[in-house]
Amino acid sequence: MTGIKDIAKKAGVSISTVSYALNGSERITEQTRQKVLKIAKEMNYIPSLAGRGLKKQKTQIIEMYVTDLGGYFYSHLLDGVASTLKKQGYELIVASGGQRAQAFISQKLVDGAIILDPTFPSQVISKLAQDGNKLVLMDRELKLENVSHVLLNNTQGATQAVNELLKSGADAFAILTGPKDSYDAKKRLEAALDVFHEKTDQPVMVMAGDFTIESGRKAAVQLSKLCQAGHRVGVFATNDEMAFGLYEGLKKQNLQPGRDVLLVGFDNDLLANYLQPTLTTVGYSKHQWGRKAAEVILKMIDQDQVFNEIIPTKIIERESLGPKN
């Protein structure tokens, strides 16, 4: 790799002059700076992150940990993070699990980290926070120094979903849950049960899911038994992917979403508007969620304080609850 010694030799200047040019120092003339920068670019010079971090105490890089890198959800959320950081001169690197990825933050090669990955161990988060690393959590609550939270208002969203179901005319209800280790899934289930128990005496069946389409398909078999008993069932699928699976599974059981089974999802996935019938769901701005997480990590770095934010939700009314009375 090209080093500053190589650049200095080709430019005919001292190593310190090259360092001044690369770091924006005013100790050299603009003409010299441009000359050095031009040669550095020609030689494909890449600065050492470790060296820059030691000298400036900042790398101008934020790392984000996620469980997945694809799909509508992550594309919008990551764009919110990256575009906000870019405006402030920061870059984003994204990692998906593993101890090697954790090395960036533990070795202080980044200025902070945003975590949306339930598989990232909480004990590792605790250790990183104790070591002075700035962290923003989007997937759990941990009361620790140097840890902020930017969380989705799952309670609000689940409450909105159940209230729509209760107005739908269903006479039995079901909740399709998410993974047991998911903070969002737990909060949505707890809030939904609270509203059901408060507002109705009708039975509520809780079906185990894992936020995948396949778990929605499997749940359709259980729902078919309720329908065969003469019930018109209202279902809260705690994410849209499971609702998509329900659509497929119900049709195999000769049941029609929006008629035999009334559905509300969560996430407002792009496909929800293209199903037949279109899916009523809980929506929120994924871009805003990412933007807020980026804003919080930057404020933590700048002000050395903890900041917490809650992202609001709203119901997106479509056709899967049947025609309005």
Side-chain angles (χ1 to χ4, degrees):
M1 290 179 62
T2 299
I4 61 173
K5 290 182 180 179
D6 303 305
I7 298 171
K9 183 177 180 180
K10 186 169 182 178
V13 298
S14 67
I15 292 174
S16 60
T17 297
V18 174
S19 179
Y20 292 149
L22 296 175
N23 289 292
S25 172
E26 297 180 354
R27 297 186 181 185
I28 58 174
T29 65
E30 185 61 27
Q31 183 180 1
T32 301
R33 184 195 326 282
Q34 292 304 322
K35 176 183 176 182
V36 171
L37 292 178
K38 183 174 182 290
I39 291 172
K41 184 176 181 180
E42 291 171 352
M43 299 180 73
N44 296 314
Y45 170 73
I46 299 174
S48 166
L49 292 180
R52 186 171 69 176
L54 285 172
K55 192 165 186 177
K56 290 190 168 184
Q57 301 302 309
K58 283 187 180 181
T59 64
Q60 299 291 113
I61 299 174
I62 300 297
E63 185 167 24
M64 185 167 183
Y65 297 92
V66 297
T67 50
D68 192 357
L69 297 175
Y72 176 78
F73 174 87
Y74 284 104
S75 65
H76 282 257
L77 187 136
L78 290 172
D79 182 65
V81 176
S83 60
T84 303
L85 293 177
K86 186 177 181 180
K87 290 176 183 176
Q88 301 301 320
Y90 277 76
E91 296 178 31
L92 174 69
I93 57 175
V94 183
S96 182
Q99 290 186 342
R100 290 182 181 179
Q102 295 169 18
F104 284 94
I105 182 70
S106 62
Q107 295 179 25
K108 300 192 183 299
L109 297 177
V110 294
D111 295 338
I114 300 169
I115 299 174
L116 181 57
D117 179 0
T119 67
F120 199 108
S122 291
Q123 61 268 30
V124 175
I125 292 174
S126 179
K127 178 64 167 60
L128 291 171
Q130 289 174 10
D131 290 343
N133 295 289
K134 309 298 185 187
L135 306 172
V136 171
L137 303 184
M138 302 176 72
D139 62 4
R140 74 197 81 180
E141 290 181 87
L142 296 174
K143 293 183 179 179
L144 298 168
E145 189 177 359
N146 295 315
V147 172
S148 294
H149 302 85
V150 180
L151 301 171
L152 196 60
N153 197 334
N154 290 293
T155 298
Q156 179 187 46
T159 300
Q160 291 165 335
V162 173
N163 282 334
E164 289 300 307
L165 284 175
L166 291 171
K167 294 186 293 185
S168 69
D171 57 16
F173 299 96
I175 304 170
L176 182 52
T177 70
K180 292 181 179 179
D181 63 351
S182 166
Y183 169 85
D184 290 331
K186 291 176 184 176
K187 289 295 183 181
R188 292 171 197 178
L189 175 60
E190 290 171 2
L193 287 173
D194 285 344
V195 179
F196 275 128
H197 292 158
E198 178 186 345
K199 295 189 175 182
T200 182
D201 294 327
Q202 298 293 341
V204 179
M205 179 170 66
V206 177
M207 303 179 294
D210 59 9
F211 280 171
T212 65
I213 290 176
E214 180 57 30
S215 65
R217 293 191 190 106
K218 291 178 179 177
V221 177
Q222 297 180 61
L223 289 173
S224 69
K225 296 175 182 177
L226 272 179
C227 293
Q228 289 167 7
H231 291 292
R232 193 173 188 224
V233 187
V235 181
F236 173 33
T238 54
N239 88 332
D240 281 353
E241 283 202 29
M242 294 191 297
F244 302 158
L246 278 172
Y247 269 63
E248 293 182 21
L250 289 170
K251 289 175 182 177
K252 289 182 179 179
Q253 300 293 325
N254 295 314
L255 296 170
Q256 177 62 44
R259 184 191 68 194
D260 306 303
V261 176
L262 309 177
L263 279 165
V264 179
F266 200 118
D267 282 336
N268 195 28
D269 191 288
L270 181 64
L271 291 178
N273 204 35
Y274 295 94
L275 297 173
Q276 292 296 325
T278 53
L279 177 65
T280 294
T281 185
V282 175
Y284 53 91
S285 172
K286 298 158 189 67
H287 192 278
Q288 179 194 23
W289 197 8
R291 174 171 57 80
K292 284 292 184 183
E295 289 173 353
V296 166
I297 195 70
L298 292 175
K299 286 199 294 184
M300 291 179 72
I301 293 167
D302 184 50
Q303 301 178 34
D304 197 26
Q305 296 181 40
V306 167
F307 303 88
N308 296 315
E309 296 277 355
I310 297 292
I311 304 302
T313 64
K314 63 180 179 180
I315 199 77
I316 310 295
E317 295 185 21
R318 297 196 180 102
E319 301 167 343
S320 60
L321 290 177
K324 287 189 175 182
N325 296 330

